[in-house]
Amino acid sequence: MKDKDLSEIRSIIARHKLWDFIFMILGVFVLMIAVLTFMALFSHMLIDGMPRLSLDFFTSFPSRRPGSAGILSAWVGTTLVMLVTAAAAVPMGIGAGIYLEEYAPKNIITEIIEINVTNLAGVPSIIYGLLALSLFVHQLGFGQSILSAGLALALLILPVVIVATREAIRAIPVVIREGAYALGATKWQTVWDHLLPYSAAGILTGVIIGLARAIGETAPIITIGALTFIAFLPPSPIKPDFPFISFEWLMAPFTVMPIQMFNWVSRPEEAFQINAAAAGLVLVVMTLTMNALAIYLRYRMRKNLKW
Amino acid sequence: MRLPVTAQSDEITHPKRLGYSYRRHLGERFIETLLFLMAFVSVAITIAIVAMLVKESFVFFEHVPLWEFLTDTQWTPLFDDAHYGILPLISGTLVSSAVALLVAIPLGTITAIYLSEFAPFAAREVAKPFLELLGGVPTVVYGYFALLFVTPLLQKIFPELPGFSLLSAGLVMGIMIIPYVSSMAEDSMRAVPMHLREGSYAMGATRFQTALRVVMPGAFSGIAAAYILGISRAVGETMVVAIAAGMQPNLTWNPMEPAATITAYIVQVSLGDLPHGSIGYQTIFAAGLTLLLLTLTFNIIGHVLRKRYREVY
């Protein structure tokens, strides 16, 4: 080969290698944008909100004076709403996942259900709020209560739980099922004694991610008509006299963390925006902890998985 | 299944509990029905959503002609001089989504290519969970960030930018959507079989050429799905625009102006105290129906694209 050709080829190779290198730098740079945004968001809230974070902030009701306002009713409300959401979404999502993975025959109804679960995940969350407003609040008469909010969020995270359950069950080898059937177990015995325990960690990961999403979800709850200023707590679930447990709190008016934060952000006074930063900090730490827990669980699972 | 029972060895080889149990059979059937009903709830939700939106909007359209809804350029349903033109809300939604997608699609795609084709194993193991965490931050927090951090920052560059703008809401929304786009696009790129890459490398292509000419076309249907997901997210996003873009309906295509989106309007009405069954109450369902149709349109386009360019390995 002539020297000229060789040098030409070399220069082409060098040019393409340069492109490779440039793109790699670009990739790292773009990732850095994401990292820096997150840093900016977190540090901005930390600097503004940290001074407000004291025990008083967690034990006081919202107030017209920003200095003495707190998030007591908000975090209690969030906890109670999450209880309802988990109680509704977890059994229903796991049940649906088991059905689709283990029981469903290959027919048109199954296909409709499967396409439907995928599509539900793409419906904007505020639409679920409208559904809850029309169905739970007015038609079923639950009112603007913890029950309505919890159910609305349960519908919202149902696809997350279903998909996680299906993936976890699908990962279990067929050998396990065949072994159980060979010993005479019925389908449900196989599911209950083998498939569910083995897929528990995977399902739990999905449930945690779903609940973390539900905690931060604001729009559907605003649509239901949650109040932004609540200076009392719902009735206690434990009573001193028989039967000791009361469900009055289900019907109580409420507020939740993201709504409290939204309320403070949208006020013009700067002092309230500092409260918003503090509430946001609590909210972010809560959701990030849950997400990190889920990621860690998944990581552990992948490492220990030996069938 | 009925076990074969012979007369002489009845008690010894086939105790009664191994025989056909009517009760056990009934229990299994009951559980199967129950599980089916749980799975069917998702379909019921869809039916309920459509039925509810159509029913409430029907009342609205008895009061407001469809033509006025689609062509009037003002949206002032709560004023004395009420106008019911959805256009200002649609323009706000489309502009903020366009800004968000201009950020999320290029950055999300680059991130996906980098993580799938370029990044060393360790970098991917760190970056993927981090992006997932970023996607888990509540939207109301992003709204706060857009209003109190990004807007003042942008005002240093563009001094005439108002305190509420579609631009800053859209930018933050875009960054918020990056993880959704990148993780889905990356999954589809990694599903492209290794031998296609090996073939490409064997021909002397670089990693960048392979990524651009072999992997991306091979993963096109998945990448399209990721983009559609991003669009749905942007169009349906509520809190960021409600906080940072203002709540004033404004027929504009200029991202530097404040404007309300469909979702922001629903939030604004819900914050007030509208009586059940009033025309104001019905407007949010008409707005919701418009939003659902908008996302549905994008989803159908995505579905068609996916079907058409699907590669089967």
Side-chain angles (χ1 to χ4, degrees):
Chain A
M1 207 176 276
K2 274 184 270 169
D3 265 3
K4 186 168 167 290
D5 281 356
L6 206 60
S7 68
E8 200 174 315
I9 291 174
R10 283 210 173 112
S11 83
I12 291 175
I13 292 176
R15 203 166 66 232
H16 284 302
K17 280 201 166 159
L18 185 67
W19 271 111
D20 235 34
F21 184 70
I22 291 175
F23 188 82
M24 199 155 150
I25 301 289
L26 186 69
V28 175
F29 179 72
V30 168
L31 267 181
M32 280 300 125
I33 292 182
V35 174
L36 284 180
T37 310
F38 184 72
M39 294 290 176
L41 180 135
F42 201 74
S43 56
H44 187 250
M45 273 196 321
L46 200 66
I47 292 165
D48 276 6
M50 205 56 194
R52 281 290 291 130
L53 281 185
S54 62
L55 198 59
D56 283 348
F57 190 64
F58 290 93
T59 55
S60 341
F61 288 111
S63 153
R64 235 162 297 151
R65 276 168 297 133
S68 55
I71 54 169
L72 178 61
S73 50
W75 70 258
V76 171
T78 288
T79 314
L80 294 176
V81 169
M82 282 308 120
L83 277 180
V84 178
T85 303
V90 172
M92 209 128 76
I94 296 179
I98 292 173
Y99 179 81
L100 289 175
E101 217 41 53
E102 295 296 317
Y103 285 84
K106 283 250 172 298
N107 61 19
I108 182 101
I109 298 177
T110 307
E111 202 171 316
I112 291 177
I113 295 177
E114 286 187 347
I115 293 174
N116 199 56
V117 171
T118 324
N119 284 346
L120 272 187
V123 172
S125 64
I126 199 161
I127 301 282
Y128 287 94
L130 290 176
L131 172 66
L133 174 65
S134 169
L135 186 65
F136 299 142
V137 176
H138 292 302
Q139 269 171 26
L140 297 179
F142 295 161
Q144 301 169 347
S145 61
I146 291 176
L147 183 61
S148 298
L151 290 179
L153 293 181
L155 300 186
L156 185 72
I157 66 166
L158 199 57
V160 181
V161 181
I162 294 179
V163 170
T165 305
R166 293 191 66 176
E167 276 175 4
I169 290 183
R170 205 179 306 147
I172 300 173
V174 185
V175 189
I176 303 276
R177 298 177 181 82
E178 285 167 349
Y181 293 143
L183 291 173
T186 62
K187 199 151 201 168
W188 178 244
Q189 284 170 332
T190 310
V191 168
W192 185 254
D193 292 335
H194 297 280
L195 302 186
L196 271 181
Y198 304 159
S199 57
I203 297 175
L204 189 64
T205 312
V207 168
I208 294 173
I209 288 178
L211 287 180
R213 198 178 146 203
I215 278 190
E217 205 54 73
T218 324
I221 301 192
I222 290 185
T223 316
I224 290 170
L227 301 172
T228 49
F229 191 90
I230 294 265
F232 53 87
L233 288 181
S236 161
I238 300 164
K239 283 195 304 188
D241 46 336
F242 191 78
F244 305 114
I245 298 171
S246 117
F247 286 103
E248 274 173 53
W249 57 272
L250 279 175
M251 292 301 175
F254 69 103
T255 190
V256 291
M257 291 284 297
I259 291 191
Q260 185 64 66
M261 181 181 176
F262 174 63
N263 177 250
W264 280 333
V265 171
S266 46
R267 293 199 187 199
E269 302 98 320
E270 202 163 315
F272 276 114
Q273 291 172 354
I274 289 171
N275 281 356
L281 205 57
V282 177
L283 199 58
V284 168
V285 168
M286 258 157 63
T287 54
L288 286 196
T289 313
M290 290 174 81
N291 273 305
L293 184 68
I295 292 171
Y296 173 72
L297 266 176
R298 198 167 41 203
Y299 174 74
R300 271 285 303 274
M301 229 161 42
R302 221 188 303 156
K303 237 173 80 177
N304 296 339
L305 205 66
K306 284 193 197 73
W307 292 107
Chain B
M1 195 174 65
R2 188 180 288 273
L3 290 170
V5 179
T6 48
Q8 67 267 51
S9 62
D10 199 358
E11 285 307 306
I12 304 146
T13 50
H14 305 296
K16 222 176 173 185
R17 64 192 169 83
L18 289 185
Y20 179 83
S21 158
Y22 191 70
R23 215 175 65 207
R24 193 161 81 163
H25 182 70
L26 210 66
E28 287 288 317
R29 287 303 296 271
F30 172 73
I31 284 169
E32 186 172 346
T33 315
L34 190 71
L35 291 178
F36 171 75
L37 288 180
M38 285 174 168
F40 201 73
V41 164
S42 73
V43 179
I45 294 172
T46 312
I47 297 172
I49 286 176
V50 174
M52 167 274 301
L53 283 179
V54 169
K55 191 194 95 192
E56 302 275 2
S57 307
F58 193 73
V59 186
F60 172 80
F61 284 118
E62 274 180 349
H63 186 89
V64 180
L66 184 64
W67 184 247
E68 187 193 332
F69 183 70
L70 292 178
T71 55
D72 200 324
T73 54
Q74 279 183 55
W75 178 261
T76 54
L78 306 178
F79 293 2
D80 288 337
D81 172 32
H83 284 273
Y84 301 96
I86 195 75
L87 278 180
L89 296 185
I90 290 187
S91 79
T93 304
L94 291 183
V95 171
S96 62
S97 303
V99 173
L101 293 172
L102 280 179
V103 174
I105 285 187
L107 297 194
T109 313
I110 292 174
T111 310
I113 296 178
Y114 176 75
L115 287 180
S116 141
E117 307 296 316
F118 285 79
F121 181 75
R124 188 161 58 227
E125 287 294 283
V126 177
K128 282 209 73 162
F130 182 82
L131 283 173
E132 210 172 315
L133 283 184
L134 207 58
V137 174
T139 54
V140 64
V141 172
Y142 277 112
Y144 161 90
F145 180 65
L147 181 68
L148 296 178
F149 184 85
V150 176
T151 303
L153 202 69
L154 286 174
Q155 277 170 337
K156 284 186 186 136
I157 309 170
F158 311 108
E160 71 280 9
L161 192 77
F164 296 110
S165 71
L166 290 168
L167 181 67
S168 66
L171 282 180
V172 171
M173 233 155 70
I175 290 180
M176 193 181 94
I177 296 170
I178 290 177
Y180 295 103
V181 176
S182 73
S183 89
M184 205 166 164
E186 194 217 330
D187 285 347
S188 69
M189 286 182 196
R190 286 172 70 78
V192 172
M194 201 40 99
H195 62 244
L196 291 185
R197 291 188 187 86
E198 283 162 356
S200 166
Y201 292 141
M203 301 302 288
T206 60
R207 275 196 290 190
F208 184 58
Q209 285 171 319
T210 308
L212 214 60
R213 307 271 173 83
V214 176
V215 177
M216 276 188 75
F220 182 83
S221 75
I223 297 177
Y227 290 171
I228 296 297
L229 180 76
I231 295 176
S232 302
R233 287 267 154 190
V235 170
E237 173 46 43
T238 310
M239 296 320 291
V240 176
V241 281
I243 292 172
M247 294 202 185
Q248 212 57 51
N250 178 7
L251 183 55
T252 176
W253 303 103
N254 178 5
M256 307 284 275
E257 285 180 32
T261 62
I262 298 176
T263 49
Y265 171 74
I266 297 175
V267 164
Q268 187 196 17
V269 169
S270 307
L271 284 174
D273 206 15
L274 274 181
H276 173 52
S278 65
I279 184 79
Y281 174 84
Q282 257 113 33
T283 55
I284 62 174
F285 288 94
L289 185 63
T290 316
L291 178 67
L292 193 66
L293 288 178
L294 216 57
T295 49
L296 194 67
T297 315
F298 287 122
N299 273 307
I300 289 173
I301 296 174
H303 189 73
V304 171
L305 278 179
R306 265 211 313 279
K307 266 252 153 83
R308 193 145 173 202
Y309 294 99
R310 162 143 30 220
E311 302 271 344
V312 181
Y313 300 113

